[in-house]
Amino acid sequence: MSSLPRIAVLASGRGSNLAALLAARERGELPVDFVLVGSDKAAAGALRMAEAANIPTLALDPRSYPDRRAFDLDLFARIAASGAELLVLAGFMRILDGEALAPWIGRMINIHPSLLPKYRGLHTHRRALEAGDTEHGASVHFVTAELDGGPVIAQARVAIEPGDDEEQLAERLLPLEHRLLPAVLGLLATRRLRWDGQAPRLDDQPLLTPLVLNEQGLQTRE
Ligand code: GRF
């Protein structure tokens, strides 16, 4: 087994955020070992991407389990069996059972396409446009039992331009997501970032406001 931090990724869809993680590793910017990519959708693009990169994959069908908790317990048991130390939700479109995820508190992050605490859940681009917001963004947060409700670690922001529609906004935000997620995972994997259930800590200082992604990378807010 490699001595690099061992990472599992869960994704339900095309997997562009997974691709960004793999690319960051290839560039030498993310020294981690991806030990498993899992999905609740056998057809997910993310699984094909992982296969192409020789990363073990796992596809579990929620319909073959009696309930959410049974699915999540099996999923997390298999992730633990992969040797993963950290878990990244990169477009994993399921609500997780609180008891099942408890062992992963502080070791699991999610990327969500809004400036949390705004717009938890679905259709975030549409909701930001409908609200008349002038800016939008993406957040990476520690996962808790509360949907999109765990402490926010870092955010990337985009201006909403007059005439923007959902697709245009999503398209402008996505490249920022692709920088944000590897940068946060890097902090967690190198143990610069921790969370024990109190305030998240960066370099042993409490992280009182989310980090901000700019041209230089992640910065603390002035
Ligand atoms: C991203 O917008 C992410 O923020 C959200 O789901 C989408 C996943 O896209 N959680 P992809 O599968 O990584 O391309």
Side-chain angles (χ1 to χ4, degrees):
M1 219 181 250
S2 105
S3 61
L4 293 172
R6 294 184 297 278
I7 313 296
V9 179
L10 293 177
S12 301
R14 67 193 157 178
S16 72
N17 277 286
L18 171 65
L21 294 174
L22 299 182
R25 182 192 59 174
E26 285 306 304
R27 290 194 302 272
E29 295 168 9
L30 186 60
V32 301
D33 189 8
F34 291 101
V35 295
L36 186 70
V37 172
S39 186
D40 56 328
K41 302 255 186 293
L47 292 176
R48 305 293 87 76
M49 207 173 276
E51 285 160 9
N54 286 318
I55 299 166
T57 60
L58 170 70
L60 296 182
D61 184 350
R63 290 168 300 189
S64 20
Y65 294 81
D67 55 27
R68 180 188 305 283
R69 178 166 295 181
F71 174 83
D72 289 353
L73 285 170
D74 191 32
L75 176 64
F76 285 120
R78 289 165 186 254
I79 293 167
S82 76
E85 299 155 287
L86 301 174
L87 180 50
V88 179
L89 306 185
F92 190 60
M93 305 304 285
R94 285 182 59 82
I95 294 171
L96 293 169
D97 177 83
E99 184 186 309
L101 69 76
W104 292 90
I105 292 278
R107 300 194 291 138
M108 170 161 46
I109 57 174
N110 177 47
I111 183 154
H112 180 75
S114 80
L115 292 173
L116 290 171
K118 280 189 159 183
Y119 314 130
R120 296 176 183 181
L122 298 174
H123 310 303
T124 57
H125 309 309
R126 187 192 309 167
R127 289 157 69 198
L129 288 168
E130 282 172 0
D133 292 355
T134 53
E135 74 171 356
H136 186 46
S139 306
V140 175
H141 64 94
F142 282 111
V143 176
T144 64
E146 197 181 345
L147 177 69
D148 301 324
V152 178
I153 302 160
Q155 294 181 317
R157 291 167 185 268
V158 281
I160 295 183
E161 308 290 351
D164 264 348
D165 63 21
E166 260 179 89
E167 288 71 33
Q168 287 165 321
L169 194 51
E171 203 172 293
R172 264 209 324 285
L173 183 58
L174 200 58
L176 297 180
E177 293 189 31
H178 295 165
R179 290 176 51 220
L180 186 65
L181 186 58
V184 174
L185 180 58
L187 292 178
L188 197 59
T190 54
R191 298 178 190 273
R192 289 185 58 197
L193 176 70
R194 291 162 184 277
W195 184 49
D196 59 6
Q198 307 294 313
R201 297 180 85 83
L202 178 67
D203 297 332
D204 242 0
Q205 301 300 314
L207 189 62
L208 300 175
T209 54
L211 299 168
V212 175
L213 184 76
N214 65 18
E215 293 302 317
Q216 282 73 49
L218 289 178
Q219 311 287 321
T220 46
R221 201 177 289 176
E222 295 296 301

